[in-house]
Amino acid sequence: GGVIYIGSNSGNLDMDNVTLKNDKMLQTSGNGGIVYCGSASKVTVSNVNFTDTEISGSSKTGGGMHLGAVSDVVSFTNVIFANTALTGSSTKGGALYIASAAKDVTLTNVNFTNAQCKSNGGAICIDTASGNVKLNNVNFTNVSSNANGGAVYVGGTMNGFELINSN
């Protein structure tokens, strides 16, 4: 994490009413342009702006935020990811990367603008989803990936995928 690094966390990760911006990681190691969390029980992110971040180097994940293993629900509400980029090869999740979500992942009123990566998920990459993935009023503007999921990539065996009132 260029600004916040949390290793293994057996508790919850809560972020509310925060603006995180202008970070560049030009190193060969590290993921999560602004926030890195190796593991957490429950993740709740509300009213947060992730803006102007870039990670260079190959095999990087999460231009704005990297979440490792999450054992409970993941919820993002009223969040902005703007100008997030992974510029190296084999990168995943131009704005948001989740390695493993054991339960539901819900994004409500989330905007992704100018997000890019070289591999999976121009805006969002969830490598392994076991619960439901629900995107409600999520907007993607100028997001791209050179491989799978120009906006969203979800792997694993999920229970369901919903895309509601989104562009």
Side-chain angles (χ1 to χ4, degrees):
V3 176
I4 299 171
Y5 177 91
I6 302 166
S8 294
N9 175 18
S10 60
N12 297 336
L13 171 62
D14 296 307
M15 296 177 73
D16 187 23
N17 200 27
V18 178
T19 297
L20 300 162
K21 63 181 181 177
N22 296 326
D23 182 63
K24 289 190 177 189
M25 291 178 62
L26 304 174
Q27 56 192 359
T28 57
S29 64
N31 293 305
I34 293 177
V35 176
Y36 173 90
C37 180
S39 63
S41 293
K42 179 180 177 184
V43 175
T44 305
V45 178
S46 303
N47 306 306
V48 176
N49 293 335
F50 297 91
T51 306
D52 299 325
T53 182
E54 178 182 338
I55 303 177
S56 62
S58 63
S59 301
K60 301 297 174 202
T61 56
M65 184 174 203
H66 170 108
L67 296 172
V70 181
S71 59
D72 205 335
V73 296
V74 176
S75 173
F76 283 76
T77 305
N78 301 324
V79 176
I80 295 170
F81 289 91
N83 305 319
T84 57
L86 300 171
T87 60
S89 62
S90 301
T91 54
K92 297 179 182 180
L96 174 63
Y97 174 81
I98 302 172
S100 173
K103 295 191 178 175
D104 294 352
V105 175
T106 304
L107 280 72
T108 305
N109 300 326
V110 178
N111 292 308
F112 296 92
T113 305
N114 300 325
Q116 66 177 358
C117 72
K118 301 293 181 183
S119 292
N120 298 336
I124 304 168
C125 178
I126 305 172
D127 264 343
T128 304
S130 299
N132 294 303
V133 175
K134 183 177 181 178
L135 307 180
N136 185 7
N137 196 31
V138 175
N139 297 298
F140 303 96
T141 305
N142 195 31
V143 297
S144 64
S145 166
N146 290 356
N148 301 310
V152 180
Y153 172 90
V154 181
T157 306
M158 69 188 124
N159 289 337
F161 182 88
E162 293 182 55
L163 184 63
I164 303 165
N165 296 326
S166 300
N167 295 310

